[in-house]
Amino acid sequence: MGRGAKSKIQDWPLMERPGFLARRLHQIHVSLFAEFSVEFGLTPLQYSLLSVLSGLEETDQTTLANRVALDRTTTTGGLKRLESRGLIRRRTSPSDRRAQTCAITAKGLELLDIMDGAVKRAHKETLQPLNVEEQKKFLELLCRIVGHQEERRAKVS
Amino acid sequence: MGRGAKSKIQDWPLMERPGFLARRLHQIHVSLFAEFSVEFGLTPLQYSLLSVLSGLEETDQTTLANRVALDRTTTTGGLKRLESRGLIRRRTSPSDRRAQTCAITAKGLELLDIMDGAVKRAHKETLQPLNVEEQKKFLELLCRIVGHQEERRAKVS
DNA sequence: TAAGATTGACTGTTCAATCTTC
DNA sequence: GAAGATTGAACAGTCAATCTTA
């Protein structure tokens, strides 16, 4: 039972590796999102930021980054692109001059409203190969993985 | 039943949106992969390329890109990084002077061997929040989604 | 013309370093 | 010093344009 006796990883098909499948799933959704909503010029990330902002009052960037589970740097980049299109506004926090706060604009709310149907279709289409029960089960399991790993991350950092 | 009667997307929690969860799952795996194998300096993508190459003879880049479901440009980038570390070698195809072929080197095979355990742990840890049956079910559903969407992609292009 | 690859541009992602403010 | 943000570097991913060769 020395080393070499167990199967090597190159004998493990890509389609059975969780990491590979995770990358593909993400890739597929981004592709479908683009397909359904190219004309709006928002990426899934930018859309997430905008839709979360729509449910919040003026918020500082760190809080927002945590909400969408993003690096602060990535958040800054996305917000800058949204700001340049007038979909959000940013300013220095009046209570803490280190902090930047941001809020959605009327134009941003309007775009969200217009995109609503296309975005829902993109999400739906991602799971389309499964039947309704399977979709429910899949989302439940996926949600548990993400939820637990978030706790894990919280412990580590 | 006019527009506005149905629930807006901002009332749809991120943790129930397939696209958001897909991004998070991928993010989590990349993070775990890094955690278990920083010392080897390979990313999951580079590892995929290397491990697929280990099971193939000298292969042209387009074939390899299709195998790992990657854009040709992304593949080129990854291969260049592997080549610069001497883990693979590339050359112009003798049969078609437009094509580049690549093959793994002894050094590449050796690295794969050393990394084997860490990589398996990273994949395993990604699904750790689920019990064994759930993991099996989850992978099965995930695999079906990716498989079907691949057929879809094939049809479109 | 079409196929293979590369380049450049833009976005996303993380990390380290830095700057400002607390 | 610590907490906010930004900048720069490196890698990943896609697309359009270009170059070479078939």
Side-chain angles (χ1 to χ4, degrees):
Chain A
M1 293 289 267
R3 67 195 166 85
K6 293 197 66 178
S7 68
K8 290 283 180 55
I9 204 160
Q10 44 265 49
D11 302 319
W12 195 15
L14 289 179
M15 284 295 280
E16 295 174 15
R17 302 184 198 175
F20 177 79
L21 291 167
R23 175 168 70 77
R24 292 286 293 125
L25 180 67
H26 179 233
Q27 202 176 33
I28 284 164
H29 177 75
V30 170
S31 166
L32 286 169
F33 189 98
E35 189 179 319
F36 283 103
S37 52
V38 257
E39 67 263 41
F40 306 116
L42 283 192
T43 63
L45 170 72
Q46 292 169 20
Y47 183 83
S48 285
L49 286 169
L50 202 56
S51 74
V52 167
L53 267 180
S54 78
L56 298 171
E57 294 302 313
E58 184 148 8
T59 313
D60 68 283
Q61 293 187 172
T62 299
T63 302
L64 185 58
N66 287 332
R67 288 272 196 136
V68 293
L70 274 181
D71 196 281
R72 283 205 308 248
T73 308
T74 311
T75 306
T76 302
L79 290 175
K80 277 185 178 171
R81 284 168 208 120
L82 293 174
E83 186 185 29
S84 73
R85 290 180 56 186
L87 303 171
I88 66 162
R89 57 180 170 72
R90 296 198 304 156
R91 61 169 183 165
T92 303
S93 166
S95 58
D96 185 342
R97 286 168 56 204
R98 292 171 303 184
Q100 289 280 325
T101 65
C102 44
I104 194 167
T105 61
K107 192 175 168 189
L109 282 169
E110 188 185 350
L111 182 59
L112 273 185
D113 206 42
I114 297 173
M115 289 182 69
D116 197 80
V119 170
K120 280 177 182 159
R121 276 198 297 281
H123 284 284
K124 196 176 167 189
E125 186 73 15
T126 301
L127 302 186
Q128 174 273 324
L130 307 181
N131 69 40
V132 177
E133 293 156 45
E134 289 169 332
Q135 293 187 11
K136 200 178 155 195
K137 185 71 178 169
F138 180 72
L139 280 179
E140 181 210 318
L141 296 173
L142 184 47
C143 193
R144 280 208 7 239
I145 294 174
V146 172
H148 284 215
Q149 300 291 13
E150 250 160 32
E151 291 171 23
R152 191 175 175 285
R153 185 183 58 154
K155 272 183 221 156
V156 172
S157 56
Chain B
M1 293 287 268
R3 68 195 165 86
K6 294 198 66 177
S7 68
K8 290 283 180 56
I9 205 159
Q10 44 264 51
D11 302 319
W12 194 16
L14 289 178
M15 285 295 279
E16 294 175 15
R17 301 184 198 175
F20 177 79
L21 291 167
R23 176 168 69 77
R24 292 286 293 124
L25 180 67
H26 180 233
Q27 204 175 31
I28 284 165
H29 177 74
V30 170
S31 166
L32 287 169
F33 189 98
E35 189 179 319
F36 283 103
S37 52
V38 257
E39 68 263 39
F40 307 116
L42 283 192
T43 63
L45 170 72
Q46 292 169 21
Y47 184 84
S48 284
L49 286 169
L50 202 56
S51 75
V52 167
L53 267 180
S54 77
L56 298 172
E57 295 301 313
E58 183 148 8
T59 313
D60 68 283
Q61 293 186 172
T62 299
T63 301
L64 186 57
N66 287 332
R67 287 272 196 136
V68 293
L70 273 180
D71 198 281
R72 282 205 310 249
T73 307
T74 310
T75 305
T76 303
L79 289 176
K80 277 184 179 172
R81 284 170 208 119
L82 293 174
E83 186 185 30
S84 73
R85 290 180 55 186
L87 302 171
I88 66 162
R89 58 179 170 71
R90 296 199 303 156
R91 61 168 184 165
T92 303
S93 166
S95 59
D96 184 341
R97 286 167 57 203
R98 292 171 303 182
Q100 288 280 325
T101 65
C102 45
I104 194 167
T105 62
K107 192 175 169 189
L109 281 169
E110 189 186 350
L111 182 59
L112 274 185
D113 205 42
I114 297 174
M115 289 182 70
D116 196 80
V119 171
K120 281 177 182 158
R121 277 198 297 281
H123 284 284
K124 196 176 168 188
E125 186 72 14
T126 301
L127 302 186
Q128 176 272 323
L130 307 181
N131 68 40
V132 177
E133 293 155 46
E134 289 169 333
Q135 294 188 12
K136 200 179 157 196
K137 185 70 177 171
F138 180 72
L139 280 179
E140 182 211 317
L141 295 174
L142 183 49
C143 193
R144 278 205 11 236
I145 294 174
V146 172
H148 283 215
Q149 300 292 12
E150 248 160 33
E151 290 172 23
R152 191 176 175 285
R153 185 185 58 153
K155 272 182 221 155
V156 172
S157 55

PDB file of all heavy atoms in Angstrom, chain A residues 110-135:
ATOM      1  N   GLU A 110     -34.294  52.959 -12.066  1.00  0.00           N
ATOM      2  CA  GLU A 110     -35.014  52.772 -13.324  1.00  0.00           C
ATOM      3  C   GLU A 110     -34.409  51.617 -14.124  1.00  0.00           C
ATOM      4  O   GLU A 110     -35.121  50.746 -14.644  1.00  0.00           O
ATOM      5  CB  GLU A 110     -34.923  54.075 -14.135  1.00  0.00           C
ATOM      6  CG  GLU A 110     -35.788  54.087 -15.376  1.00  0.00           C
ATOM      7  CD  GLU A 110     -35.542  55.361 -16.196  1.00  0.00           C
ATOM      8  OE1 GLU A 110     -34.849  56.276 -15.688  1.00  0.00           O
ATOM      9  OE2 GLU A 110     -36.030  55.428 -17.329  1.00  0.00           O
ATOM     10  N   LEU A 111     -33.069  51.576 -14.177  1.00  0.00           N
ATOM     11  CA  LEU A 111     -32.405  50.495 -14.913  1.00  0.00           C
ATOM     12  C   LEU A 111     -32.720  49.134 -14.298  1.00  0.00           C
ATOM     13  O   LEU A 111     -32.998  48.161 -15.003  1.00  0.00           O
ATOM     14  CB  LEU A 111     -30.891  50.723 -14.945  1.00  0.00           C
ATOM     15  CG  LEU A 111     -30.097  49.669 -15.738  1.00  0.00           C
ATOM     16  CD1 LEU A 111     -30.566  49.604 -17.184  1.00  0.00           C
ATOM     17  CD2 LEU A 111     -28.598  49.930 -15.679  1.00  0.00           C
ATOM     18  N   LEU A 112     -32.684  49.058 -12.966  1.00  0.00           N
ATOM     19  CA  LEU A 112     -33.020  47.809 -12.282  1.00  0.00           C
ATOM     20  C   LEU A 112     -34.399  47.329 -12.705  1.00  0.00           C
ATOM     21  O   LEU A 112     -34.627  46.151 -12.952  1.00  0.00           O
ATOM     22  CB  LEU A 112     -33.013  48.013 -10.765  1.00  0.00           C
ATOM     23  CG  LEU A 112     -31.694  47.859 -10.023  1.00  0.00           C
ATOM     24  CD1 LEU A 112     -31.934  47.967  -8.537  1.00  0.00           C
ATOM     25  CD2 LEU A 112     -31.034  46.532 -10.359  1.00  0.00           C
ATOM     26  N   ASP A 113     -35.314  48.272 -12.760  1.00  0.00           N
ATOM     27  CA  ASP A 113     -36.695  47.950 -13.108  1.00  0.00           C
ATOM     28  C   ASP A 113     -36.780  47.385 -14.523  1.00  0.00           C
ATOM     29  O   ASP A 113     -37.440  46.371 -14.769  1.00  0.00           O
ATOM     30  CB  ASP A 113     -37.550  49.225 -12.993  1.00  0.00           C
ATOM     31  CG  ASP A 113     -39.001  48.879 -12.723  1.00  0.00           C
ATOM     32  OD1 ASP A 113     -39.247  47.973 -11.897  1.00  0.00           O
ATOM     33  OD2 ASP A 113     -39.882  49.502 -13.332  1.00  0.00           O
ATOM     34  N   ILE A 114     -36.070  48.026 -15.435  1.00  0.00           N
ATOM     35  CA  ILE A 114     -36.088  47.586 -16.828  1.00  0.00           C
ATOM     36  C   ILE A 114     -35.463  46.204 -16.991  1.00  0.00           C
ATOM     37  O   ILE A 114     -35.925  45.371 -17.756  1.00  0.00           O
ATOM     38  CB  ILE A 114     -35.319  48.599 -17.718  1.00  0.00           C
ATOM     39  CG1 ILE A 114     -36.010  49.970 -17.685  1.00  0.00           C
ATOM     40  CG2 ILE A 114     -35.227  48.093 -19.150  1.00  0.00           C
ATOM     41  CD1 ILE A 114     -35.220  51.050 -18.401  1.00  0.00           C
ATOM     42  N   MET A 115     -34.369  45.951 -16.225  1.00  0.00           N
ATOM     43  CA  MET A 115     -33.628  44.701 -16.375  1.00  0.00           C
ATOM     44  C   MET A 115     -34.292  43.521 -15.686  1.00  0.00           C
ATOM     45  O   MET A 115     -33.920  42.360 -15.917  1.00  0.00           O
ATOM     46  CB  MET A 115     -32.210  44.858 -15.807  1.00  0.00           C
ATOM     47  CG  MET A 115     -31.301  45.742 -16.622  1.00  0.00           C
ATOM     48  SD  MET A 115     -29.634  45.818 -15.887  1.00  0.00           S
ATOM     49  CE  MET A 115     -29.046  44.140 -16.188  1.00  0.00           C
ATOM     50  N   ASP A 116     -35.241  43.793 -14.821  1.00  0.00           N
ATOM     51  CA  ASP A 116     -35.818  42.780 -13.943  1.00  0.00           C
ATOM     52  C   ASP A 116     -36.124  41.441 -14.635  1.00  0.00           C
ATOM     53  O   ASP A 116     -35.651  40.392 -14.217  1.00  0.00           O
ATOM     54  CB  ASP A 116     -37.092  43.341 -13.298  1.00  0.00           C
ATOM     55  CG  ASP A 116     -37.504  42.529 -12.091  1.00  0.00           C
ATOM     56  OD1 ASP A 116     -36.912  42.727 -11.012  1.00  0.00           O
ATOM     57  OD2 ASP A 116     -38.412  41.684 -12.229  1.00  0.00           O
ATOM     58  N   GLY A 117     -36.882  41.502 -15.707  1.00  0.00           N
ATOM     59  CA  GLY A 117     -37.293  40.270 -16.378  1.00  0.00           C
ATOM     60  C   GLY A 117     -36.121  39.489 -16.950  1.00  0.00           C
ATOM     61  O   GLY A 117     -36.017  38.278 -16.764  1.00  0.00           O
ATOM     62  N   ALA A 118     -35.213  40.190 -17.614  1.00  0.00           N
ATOM     63  CA  ALA A 118     -34.075  39.527 -18.244  1.00  0.00           C
ATOM     64  C   ALA A 118     -33.215  38.825 -17.205  1.00  0.00           C
ATOM     65  O   ALA A 118     -32.760  37.697 -17.407  1.00  0.00           O
ATOM     66  CB  ALA A 118     -33.234  40.546 -19.019  1.00  0.00           C
ATOM     67  N   VAL A 119     -33.013  39.478 -16.076  1.00  0.00           N
ATOM     68  CA  VAL A 119     -32.164  38.904 -15.034  1.00  0.00           C
ATOM     69  C   VAL A 119     -32.806  37.656 -14.451  1.00  0.00           C
ATOM     70  O   VAL A 119     -32.145  36.634 -14.253  1.00  0.00           O
ATOM     71  CB  VAL A 119     -31.893  39.943 -13.931  1.00  0.00           C
ATOM     72  CG1 VAL A 119     -31.227  39.289 -12.736  1.00  0.00           C
ATOM     73  CG2 VAL A 119     -31.038  41.069 -14.467  1.00  0.00           C
ATOM     74  N   LYS A 120     -34.098  37.729 -14.197  1.00  0.00           N
ATOM     75  CA  LYS A 120     -34.781  36.548 -13.676  1.00  0.00           C
ATOM     76  C   LYS A 120     -34.676  35.391 -14.654  1.00  0.00           C
ATOM     77  O   LYS A 120     -34.457  34.240 -14.262  1.00  0.00           O
ATOM     78  CB  LYS A 120     -36.253  36.873 -13.396  1.00  0.00           C
ATOM     79  CG  LYS A 120     -36.475  37.614 -12.088  1.00  0.00           C
ATOM     80  CD  LYS A 120     -37.943  37.974 -11.917  1.00  0.00           C
ATOM     81  CE  LYS A 120     -38.169  38.768 -10.635  1.00  0.00           C
ATOM     82  NZ  LYS A 120     -39.428  39.544 -10.678  1.00  0.00           N
ATOM     83  N   ARG A 121     -34.803  35.674 -15.937  1.00  0.00           N
ATOM     84  CA  ARG A 121     -34.698  34.616 -16.939  1.00  0.00           C
ATOM     85  C   ARG A 121     -33.304  34.001 -16.939  1.00  0.00           C
ATOM     86  O   ARG A 121     -33.148  32.788 -17.077  1.00  0.00           O
ATOM     87  CB  ARG A 121     -35.012  35.164 -18.338  1.00  0.00           C
ATOM     88  CG  ARG A 121     -36.511  35.217 -18.648  1.00  0.00           C
ATOM     89  CD  ARG A 121     -36.777  35.340 -20.147  1.00  0.00           C
ATOM     90  NE  ARG A 121     -36.240  36.584 -20.717  1.00  0.00           N
ATOM     91  CZ  ARG A 121     -36.821  37.772 -20.610  1.00  0.00           C
ATOM     92  NH1 ARG A 121     -37.965  37.896 -19.948  1.00  0.00           N
ATOM     93  NH2 ARG A 121     -36.279  38.832 -21.169  1.00  0.00           N
ATOM     94  N   ALA A 122     -32.280  34.851 -16.771  1.00  0.00           N
ATOM     95  CA  ALA A 122     -30.907  34.328 -16.774  1.00  0.00           C
ATOM     96  C   ALA A 122     -30.689  33.369 -15.608  1.00  0.00           C
ATOM     97  O   ALA A 122     -30.128  32.283 -15.780  1.00  0.00           O
ATOM     98  CB  ALA A 122     -29.910  35.484 -16.711  1.00  0.00           C
ATOM     99  N   HIS A 123     -31.154  33.761 -14.436  1.00  0.00           N
ATOM    100  CA  HIS A 123     -31.010  32.871 -13.273  1.00  0.00           C
ATOM    101  C   HIS A 123     -31.767  31.567 -13.504  1.00  0.00           C
ATOM    102  O   HIS A 123     -31.270  30.478 -13.238  1.00  0.00           O
ATOM    103  CB  HIS A 123     -31.527  33.564 -12.001  1.00  0.00           C
ATOM    104  CG  HIS A 123     -30.609  34.598 -11.445  1.00  0.00           C
ATOM    105  ND1 HIS A 123     -29.481  34.268 -10.744  1.00  0.00           N
ATOM    106  CD2 HIS A 123     -30.632  35.949 -11.484  1.00  0.00           C
ATOM    107  CE1 HIS A 123     -28.857  35.382 -10.365  1.00  0.00           C
ATOM    108  NE2 HIS A 123     -29.537  36.419 -10.804  1.00  0.00           N
ATOM    109  N   LYS A 124     -32.987  31.704 -14.005  1.00  0.00           N
ATOM    110  CA  LYS A 124     -33.832  30.538 -14.234  1.00  0.00           C
ATOM    111  C   LYS A 124     -33.201  29.590 -15.246  1.00  0.00           C
ATOM    112  O   LYS A 124     -33.170  28.371 -15.050  1.00  0.00           O
ATOM    113  CB  LYS A 124     -35.199  31.024 -14.741  1.00  0.00           C
ATOM    114  CG  LYS A 124     -36.308  30.003 -14.660  1.00  0.00           C
ATOM    115  CD  LYS A 124     -37.632  30.626 -15.105  1.00  0.00           C
ATOM    116  CE  LYS A 124     -38.687  29.548 -15.339  1.00  0.00           C
ATOM    117  NZ  LYS A 124     -39.916  30.101 -15.977  1.00  0.00           N
ATOM    118  N   GLU A 125     -32.689  30.174 -16.301  1.00  0.00           N
ATOM    119  CA  GLU A 125     -32.106  29.368 -17.377  1.00  0.00           C
ATOM    120  C   GLU A 125     -30.883  28.581 -16.913  1.00  0.00           C
ATOM    121  O   GLU A 125     -30.600  27.491 -17.418  1.00  0.00           O
ATOM    122  CB  GLU A 125     -31.734  30.285 -18.549  1.00  0.00           C
ATOM    123  CG  GLU A 125     -31.250  29.573 -19.793  1.00  0.00           C
ATOM    124  CD  GLU A 125     -32.382  28.864 -20.544  1.00  0.00           C
ATOM    125  OE1 GLU A 125     -33.559  29.156 -20.252  1.00  0.00           O
ATOM    126  OE2 GLU A 125     -32.076  28.020 -21.399  1.00  0.00           O
ATOM    127  N   THR A 126     -30.172  29.137 -15.935  1.00  0.00           N
ATOM    128  CA  THR A 126     -28.985  28.444 -15.421  1.00  0.00           C
ATOM    129  C   THR A 126     -29.348  27.066 -14.866  1.00  0.00           C
ATOM    130  O   THR A 126     -28.617  26.095 -15.033  1.00  0.00           O
ATOM    131  CB  THR A 126     -28.309  29.287 -14.324  1.00  0.00           C
ATOM    132  OG1 THR A 126     -27.937  30.560 -14.866  1.00  0.00           O
ATOM    133  CG2 THR A 126     -27.064  28.600 -13.779  1.00  0.00           C
ATOM    134  N   LEU A 127     -30.521  26.992 -14.204  1.00  0.00           N
ATOM    135  CA  LEU A 127     -30.935  25.733 -13.583  1.00  0.00           C
ATOM    136  C   LEU A 127     -31.859  24.903 -14.467  1.00  0.00           C
ATOM    137  O   LEU A 127     -32.340  23.837 -14.062  1.00  0.00           O
ATOM    138  CB  LEU A 127     -31.640  26.018 -12.254  1.00  0.00           C
ATOM    139  CG  LEU A 127     -30.848  26.791 -11.196  1.00  0.00           C
ATOM    140  CD1 LEU A 127     -31.636  26.858  -9.908  1.00  0.00           C
ATOM    141  CD2 LEU A 127     -29.495  26.133 -10.968  1.00  0.00           C
ATOM    142  N   GLN A 128     -32.110  25.377 -15.659  1.00  0.00           N
ATOM    143  CA  GLN A 128     -33.101  24.775 -16.546  1.00  0.00           C
ATOM    144  C   GLN A 128     -32.917  23.271 -16.781  1.00  0.00           C
ATOM    145  O   GLN A 128     -33.919  22.535 -16.906  1.00  0.00           O
ATOM    146  CB  GLN A 128     -33.127  25.566 -17.865  1.00  0.00           C
ATOM    147  CG  GLN A 128     -34.006  25.002 -18.956  1.00  0.00           C
ATOM    148  CD  GLN A 128     -33.257  23.980 -19.790  1.00  0.00           C
ATOM    149  OE1 GLN A 128     -32.073  24.122 -20.049  1.00  0.00           O
ATOM    150  NE2 GLN A 128     -33.979  22.923 -20.205  1.00  0.00           N
ATOM    151  N   PRO A 129     -31.678  22.748 -16.810  1.00  0.00           N
ATOM    152  CA  PRO A 129     -31.531  21.303 -17.034  1.00  0.00           C
ATOM    153  C   PRO A 129     -32.132  20.443 -15.935  1.00  0.00           C
ATOM    154  O   PRO A 129     -32.275  19.227 -16.122  1.00  0.00           O
ATOM    155  CB  PRO A 129     -30.013  21.106 -17.108  1.00  0.00           C
ATOM    156  CG  PRO A 129     -29.476  22.422 -17.532  1.00  0.00           C
ATOM    157  CD  PRO A 129     -30.360  23.431 -16.868  1.00  0.00           C
ATOM    158  N   LEU A 130     -32.472  21.026 -14.803  1.00  0.00           N
ATOM    159  CA  LEU A 130     -33.066  20.236 -13.715  1.00  0.00           C
ATOM    160  C   LEU A 130     -34.572  20.458 -13.652  1.00  0.00           C
ATOM    161  O   LEU A 130     -35.057  21.515 -14.057  1.00  0.00           O
ATOM    162  CB  LEU A 130     -32.448  20.645 -12.374  1.00  0.00           C
ATOM    163  CG  LEU A 130     -30.921  20.618 -12.267  1.00  0.00           C
ATOM    164  CD1 LEU A 130     -30.491  21.034 -10.868  1.00  0.00           C
ATOM    165  CD2 LEU A 130     -30.363  19.252 -12.627  1.00  0.00           C
ATOM    166  N   ASN A 131     -35.292  19.481 -13.139  1.00  0.00           N
ATOM    167  CA  ASN A 131     -36.713  19.710 -12.918  1.00  0.00           C
ATOM    168  C   ASN A 131     -36.916  20.515 -11.629  1.00  0.00           C
ATOM    169  O   ASN A 131     -35.954  20.766 -10.892  1.00  0.00           O
ATOM    170  CB  ASN A 131     -37.489  18.391 -12.894  1.00  0.00           C
ATOM    171  CG  ASN A 131     -37.157  17.545 -11.671  1.00  0.00           C
ATOM    172  OD1 ASN A 131     -37.008  18.062 -10.557  1.00  0.00           O
ATOM    173  ND2 ASN A 131     -37.042  16.244 -11.852  1.00  0.00           N
ATOM    174  N   VAL A 132     -38.143  20.899 -11.357  1.00  0.00           N
ATOM    175  CA  VAL A 132     -38.393  21.852 -10.274  1.00  0.00           C
ATOM    176  C   VAL A 132     -37.914  21.354  -8.915  1.00  0.00           C
ATOM    177  O   VAL A 132     -37.277  22.086  -8.154  1.00  0.00           O
ATOM    178  CB  VAL A 132     -39.901  22.213 -10.201  1.00  0.00           C
ATOM    179  CG1 VAL A 132     -40.173  23.144  -9.022  1.00  0.00           C
ATOM    180  CG2 VAL A 132     -40.333  22.884 -11.494  1.00  0.00           C
ATOM    181  N   GLU A 133     -38.192  20.083  -8.620  1.00  0.00           N
ATOM    182  CA  GLU A 133     -37.752  19.546  -7.324  1.00  0.00           C
ATOM    183  C   GLU A 133     -36.232  19.525  -7.229  1.00  0.00           C
ATOM    184  O   GLU A 133     -35.655  19.848  -6.188  1.00  0.00           O
ATOM    185  CB  GLU A 133     -38.268  18.115  -7.138  1.00  0.00           C
ATOM    186  CG  GLU A 133     -39.777  18.005  -7.007  1.00  0.00           C
ATOM    187  CD  GLU A 133     -40.247  16.614  -7.415  1.00  0.00           C
ATOM    188  OE1 GLU A 133     -39.589  15.639  -6.981  1.00  0.00           O
ATOM    189  OE2 GLU A 133     -41.226  16.507  -8.171  1.00  0.00           O
ATOM    190  N   GLU A 134     -35.615  19.114  -8.321  1.00  0.00           N
ATOM    191  CA  GLU A 134     -34.153  19.061  -8.332  1.00  0.00           C
ATOM    192  C   GLU A 134     -33.537  20.446  -8.161  1.00  0.00           C
ATOM    193  O   GLU A 134     -32.544  20.615  -7.466  1.00  0.00           O
ATOM    194  CB  GLU A 134     -33.662  18.423  -9.638  1.00  0.00           C
ATOM    195  CG  GLU A 134     -33.940  16.934  -9.728  1.00  0.00           C
ATOM    196  CD  GLU A 134     -33.699  16.379 -11.124  1.00  0.00           C
ATOM    197  OE1 GLU A 134     -33.832  17.146 -12.112  1.00  0.00           O
ATOM    198  OE2 GLU A 134     -33.397  15.184 -11.233  1.00  0.00           O
ATOM    199  N   GLN A 135     -34.153  21.420  -8.805  1.00  0.00           N
ATOM    200  CA  GLN A 135     -33.664  22.790  -8.669  1.00  0.00           C
ATOM    201  C   GLN A 135     -33.715  23.229  -7.214  1.00  0.00           C
ATOM    202  O   GLN A 135     -32.776  23.837  -6.690  1.00  0.00           O
ATOM    203  CB  GLN A 135     -34.507  23.747  -9.514  1.00  0.00           C
ATOM    204  CG  GLN A 135     -34.372  23.528 -11.001  1.00  0.00           C
ATOM    205  CD  GLN A 135     -35.076  24.597 -11.822  1.00  0.00           C
ATOM    206  OE1 GLN A 135     -35.496  25.624 -11.290  1.00  0.00           O
ATOM    207  NE2 GLN A 135     -35.208  24.355 -13.108  1.00  0.00           N
TER     208      GLN A 135
END
